[in-house]
Amino acid sequence: IRLGERELIRLHELKSEMIGKLIREQREQIAVLWEKTNATESEKASFRTYYEVNADEELTDDLLKKHEDYVEALNAKLEKIQPILDLIAKREAIIADRFELENLQKDPDRLKQRGASLTKQLMKEEKMSRRVKKELPKITHVLERTLTAWYEDNRPPDAEESDDPDSGHFMYQNAPYLHTMQMQEEDWRKRKERGEQERQRKRQEERAASSNAAFGSTYSKLPGKKWHPSAAGPPKSMPLGPSGGDLRPRSASNVRGRPLADVSSSRQNVPRPASRPRNEQG
């Protein structure tokens, strides 16, 4: 009898060890599935009561069954959301291409390549540009409709009164992906606006620099001593001619600005040489 009792105890201990091992294996699967299904903290908390049981006497067949049922439910959820996850992964890849394409186009040295290398580079940029301009809007539109329908189907009845604003939303990396898309597009729009403002500022600076180079941006003094009326006093009077006028040359600058009557009268006062008769004999 004692031998039988000891054997029974040994079998119970072996069973407990096996059940504990099986439960730990189920928990490893649960952790992976939580990550794949982007489970929220509230979703994880719903199973924490069983997930954190570690006492040997509590590792029972019933606890193992609960773990197995939960793994089955997570696998069913993963199968259901996998098409959405595939769309999100594709969209995130294009978002990464959009940033890479922007950085490439800022680098003019990439066009200094020759031959096959340049052709390969241009083809790569063309492919990325096509994905950004054509595929990204389509995928975003499909996801907006799908995730909105997901929320309508999964939001709790008391969503408006709930303390969790994310409740019912399709979660991706601990955030509702519907909100993530909206933030990504808003951030990109602001980024493009800042880039355009920066380009306009640089163009204005280049035009200003070009204008200064063409016409001169600073005043340079001519050599020699300069006359300052305030320091030198009134100008000296010019010598007068026989008729009372000054002897300055009658340049266009002197005549310019004078009344026409003064110009004509000054010309009339200039003596003319006597004319020589045409038939005068030599």
PDB file of all heavy atoms in Angstrom, residues 209-226:
ATOM      1  N   ALA A 209      21.357  88.290 -53.856  1.00  0.00           N
ATOM      2  CA  ALA A 209      22.803  88.201 -54.059  1.00  0.00           C
ATOM      3  C   ALA A 209      23.174  88.488 -55.505  1.00  0.00           C
ATOM      4  O   ALA A 209      24.155  89.164 -55.796  1.00  0.00           O
ATOM      5  CB  ALA A 209      23.294  86.817 -53.642  1.00  0.00           C
ATOM      6  N   SER A 210      22.362  87.975 -56.450  1.00  0.00           N
ATOM      7  CA  SER A 210      22.618  88.225 -57.873  1.00  0.00           C
ATOM      8  C   SER A 210      22.459  89.700 -58.200  1.00  0.00           C
ATOM      9  O   SER A 210      23.247  90.277 -58.954  1.00  0.00           O
ATOM     10  CB  SER A 210      21.661  87.380 -58.718  1.00  0.00           C
ATOM     11  OG  SER A 210      21.831  87.663 -60.094  1.00  0.00           O
ATOM     12  N   SER A 211      21.449  90.351 -57.631  1.00  0.00           N
ATOM     13  CA  SER A 211      21.231  91.771 -57.873  1.00  0.00           C
ATOM     14  C   SER A 211      22.371  92.601 -57.304  1.00  0.00           C
ATOM     15  O   SER A 211      22.858  93.534 -57.942  1.00  0.00           O
ATOM     16  CB  SER A 211      19.908  92.197 -57.246  1.00  0.00           C
ATOM     17  OG  SER A 211      19.701  93.589 -57.390  1.00  0.00           O
ATOM     18  N   ASN A 212      22.844  92.248 -56.126  1.00  0.00           N
ATOM     19  CA  ASN A 212      23.953  92.977 -55.520  1.00  0.00           C
ATOM     20  C   ASN A 212      25.230  92.812 -56.325  1.00  0.00           C
ATOM     21  O   ASN A 212      26.022  93.742 -56.455  1.00  0.00           O
ATOM     22  CB  ASN A 212      24.180  92.502 -54.084  1.00  0.00           C
ATOM     23  CG  ASN A 212      23.039  92.885 -53.172  1.00  0.00           C
ATOM     24  OD1 ASN A 212      22.307  93.828 -53.461  1.00  0.00           O
ATOM     25  ND2 ASN A 212      22.869  92.151 -52.083  1.00  0.00           N
ATOM     26  N   ALA A 213      25.433  91.617 -56.866  1.00  0.00           N
ATOM     27  CA  ALA A 213      26.641  91.382 -57.658  1.00  0.00           C
ATOM     28  C   ALA A 213      26.605  92.174 -58.963  1.00  0.00           C
ATOM     29  O   ALA A 213      27.633  92.622 -59.465  1.00  0.00           O
ATOM     30  CB  ALA A 213      26.793  89.888 -57.942  1.00  0.00           C
ATOM     31  N   ALA A 214      25.423  92.367 -59.525  1.00  0.00           N
ATOM     32  CA  ALA A 214      25.300  93.061 -60.807  1.00  0.00           C
ATOM     33  C   ALA A 214      25.400  94.571 -60.649  1.00  0.00           C
ATOM     34  O   ALA A 214      26.021  95.253 -61.465  1.00  0.00           O
ATOM     35  CB  ALA A 214      23.977  92.687 -61.476  1.00  0.00           C
ATOM     36  N   PHE A 215      24.797  95.143 -59.612  1.00  0.00           N
ATOM     37  CA  PHE A 215      24.722  96.592 -59.472  1.00  0.00           C
ATOM     38  C   PHE A 215      25.547  97.135 -58.314  1.00  0.00           C
ATOM     39  O   PHE A 215      25.623  98.335 -58.122  1.00  0.00           O
ATOM     40  CB  PHE A 215      23.258  97.017 -59.288  1.00  0.00           C
ATOM     41  CG  PHE A 215      22.391  96.607 -60.436  1.00  0.00           C
ATOM     42  CD1 PHE A 215      21.541  95.528 -60.315  1.00  0.00           C
ATOM     43  CD2 PHE A 215      22.455  97.269 -61.649  1.00  0.00           C
ATOM     44  CE1 PHE A 215      20.740  95.144 -61.366  1.00  0.00           C
ATOM     45  CE2 PHE A 215      21.662  96.889 -62.709  1.00  0.00           C
ATOM     46  CZ  PHE A 215      20.805  95.823 -62.569  1.00  0.00           C
ATOM     47  N   GLY A 216      26.127  96.290 -57.534  1.00  0.00           N
ATOM     48  CA  GLY A 216      26.911  96.758 -56.391  1.00  0.00           C
ATOM     49  C   GLY A 216      26.035  96.925 -55.179  1.00  0.00           C
ATOM     50  O   GLY A 216      24.999  97.555 -55.239  1.00  0.00           O
ATOM     51  N   SER A 217      26.469  96.355 -54.087  1.00  0.00           N
ATOM     52  CA  SER A 217      25.652  96.401 -52.882  1.00  0.00           C
ATOM     53  C   SER A 217      26.140  97.428 -51.883  1.00  0.00           C
ATOM     54  O   SER A 217      25.443  97.763 -50.950  1.00  0.00           O
ATOM     55  CB  SER A 217      25.639  95.016 -52.219  1.00  0.00           C
ATOM     56  OG  SER A 217      26.954  94.619 -51.893  1.00  0.00           O
ATOM     57  N   THR A 218      27.378  97.949 -52.060  1.00  0.00           N
ATOM     58  CA  THR A 218      27.922  98.910 -51.100  1.00  0.00           C
ATOM     59  C   THR A 218      28.475 100.113 -51.837  1.00  0.00           C
ATOM     60  O   THR A 218      28.845 100.031 -53.024  1.00  0.00           O
ATOM     61  CB  THR A 218      29.044  98.272 -50.260  1.00  0.00           C
ATOM     62  OG1 THR A 218      30.068  97.796 -51.141  1.00  0.00           O
ATOM     63  CG2 THR A 218      28.506  97.107 -49.441  1.00  0.00           C
ATOM     64  N   TYR A 219      28.556 101.215 -51.162  1.00  0.00           N
ATOM     65  CA  TYR A 219      29.099 102.452 -51.730  1.00  0.00           C
ATOM     66  C   TYR A 219      30.575 102.521 -51.390  1.00  0.00           C
ATOM     67  O   TYR A 219      30.962 102.406 -50.225  1.00  0.00           O
ATOM     68  CB  TYR A 219      28.365 103.660 -51.160  1.00  0.00           C
ATOM     69  CG  TYR A 219      29.041 104.984 -51.478  1.00  0.00           C
ATOM     70  CD1 TYR A 219      28.924 105.543 -52.747  1.00  0.00           C
ATOM     71  CD2 TYR A 219      29.797 105.632 -50.514  1.00  0.00           C
ATOM     72  CE1 TYR A 219      29.535 106.734 -53.044  1.00  0.00           C
ATOM     73  CE2 TYR A 219      30.416 106.828 -50.813  1.00  0.00           C
ATOM     74  CZ  TYR A 219      30.282 107.382 -52.079  1.00  0.00           C
ATOM     75  OH  TYR A 219      30.903 108.562 -52.365  1.00  0.00           O
ATOM     76  N   SER A 220      31.444 102.723 -52.395  1.00  0.00           N
ATOM     77  CA  SER A 220      32.883 102.854 -52.166  1.00  0.00           C
ATOM     78  C   SER A 220      33.309 104.272 -52.516  1.00  0.00           C
ATOM     79  O   SER A 220      32.967 104.790 -53.583  1.00  0.00           O
ATOM     80  CB  SER A 220      33.661 101.844 -53.016  1.00  0.00           C
ATOM     81  OG  SER A 220      33.351 102.021 -54.376  1.00  0.00           O
ATOM     82  N   LYS A 221      34.049 104.898 -51.634  1.00  0.00           N
ATOM     83  CA  LYS A 221      34.479 106.277 -51.842  1.00  0.00           C
ATOM     84  C   LYS A 221      35.532 106.361 -52.935  1.00  0.00           C
ATOM     85  O   LYS A 221      36.387 105.487 -53.065  1.00  0.00           O
ATOM     86  CB  LYS A 221      35.044 106.840 -50.539  1.00  0.00           C
ATOM     87  CG  LYS A 221      34.016 106.948 -49.424  1.00  0.00           C
ATOM     88  CD  LYS A 221      34.645 107.550 -48.187  1.00  0.00           C
ATOM     89  CE  LYS A 221      33.622 107.705 -47.087  1.00  0.00           C
ATOM     90  NZ  LYS A 221      34.209 108.289 -45.861  1.00  0.00           N
ATOM     91  N   LEU A 222      35.451 107.417 -53.728  1.00  0.00           N
ATOM     92  CA  LEU A 222      36.465 107.669 -54.742  1.00  0.00           C
ATOM     93  C   LEU A 222      37.721 108.217 -54.080  1.00  0.00           C
ATOM     94  O   LEU A 222      37.649 108.863 -53.040  1.00  0.00           O
ATOM     95  CB  LEU A 222      35.931 108.658 -55.776  1.00  0.00           C
ATOM     96  CG  LEU A 222      34.744 108.161 -56.598  1.00  0.00           C
ATOM     97  CD1 LEU A 222      34.244 109.278 -57.492  1.00  0.00           C
ATOM     98  CD2 LEU A 222      35.129 106.957 -57.417  1.00  0.00           C
ATOM     99  N   PRO A 223      38.884 107.973 -54.687  1.00  0.00           N
ATOM    100  CA  PRO A 223      40.128 108.483 -54.074  1.00  0.00           C
ATOM    101  C   PRO A 223      40.182 110.006 -54.144  1.00  0.00           C
ATOM    102  O   PRO A 223      39.569 110.643 -54.992  1.00  0.00           O
ATOM    103  CB  PRO A 223      41.218 107.828 -54.913  1.00  0.00           C
ATOM    104  CG  PRO A 223      40.570 107.539 -56.222  1.00  0.00           C
ATOM    105  CD  PRO A 223      39.137 107.202 -55.903  1.00  0.00           C
ATOM    106  N   GLY A 224      40.955 110.586 -53.251  1.00  0.00           N
ATOM    107  CA  GLY A 224      41.118 112.034 -53.243  1.00  0.00           C
ATOM    108  C   GLY A 224      40.343 112.676 -52.131  1.00  0.00           C
ATOM    109  O   GLY A 224      39.488 112.077 -51.496  1.00  0.00           O
ATOM    110  N   LYS A 225      40.645 113.962 -51.918  1.00  0.00           N
ATOM    111  CA  LYS A 225      39.994 114.709 -50.854  1.00  0.00           C
ATOM    112  C   LYS A 225      38.629 115.185 -51.311  1.00  0.00           C
ATOM    113  O   LYS A 225      38.472 115.696 -52.407  1.00  0.00           O
ATOM    114  CB  LYS A 225      40.863 115.884 -50.453  1.00  0.00           C
ATOM    115  CG  LYS A 225      40.349 116.640 -49.229  1.00  0.00           C
ATOM    116  CD  LYS A 225      41.324 117.735 -48.840  1.00  0.00           C
ATOM    117  CE  LYS A 225      40.807 118.483 -47.609  1.00  0.00           C
ATOM    118  NZ  LYS A 225      41.736 119.572 -47.215  1.00  0.00           N
ATOM    119  N   LYS A 226      37.642 114.986 -50.475  1.00  0.00           N
ATOM    120  CA  LYS A 226      36.286 115.356 -50.818  1.00  0.00           C
ATOM    121  C   LYS A 226      35.960 116.726 -50.231  1.00  0.00           C
ATOM    122  O   LYS A 226      36.418 117.089 -49.155  1.00  0.00           O
ATOM    123  CB  LYS A 226      35.283 114.318 -50.291  1.00  0.00           C
ATOM    124  CG  LYS A 226      35.561 112.917 -50.793  1.00  0.00           C
ATOM    125  CD  LYS A 226      35.445 112.861 -52.302  1.00  0.00           C
ATOM    126  CE  LYS A 226      35.686 111.455 -52.815  1.00  0.00           C
ATOM    127  NZ  LYS A 226      37.041 110.986 -52.550  1.00  0.00           N
TER     128      LYS A 226
END
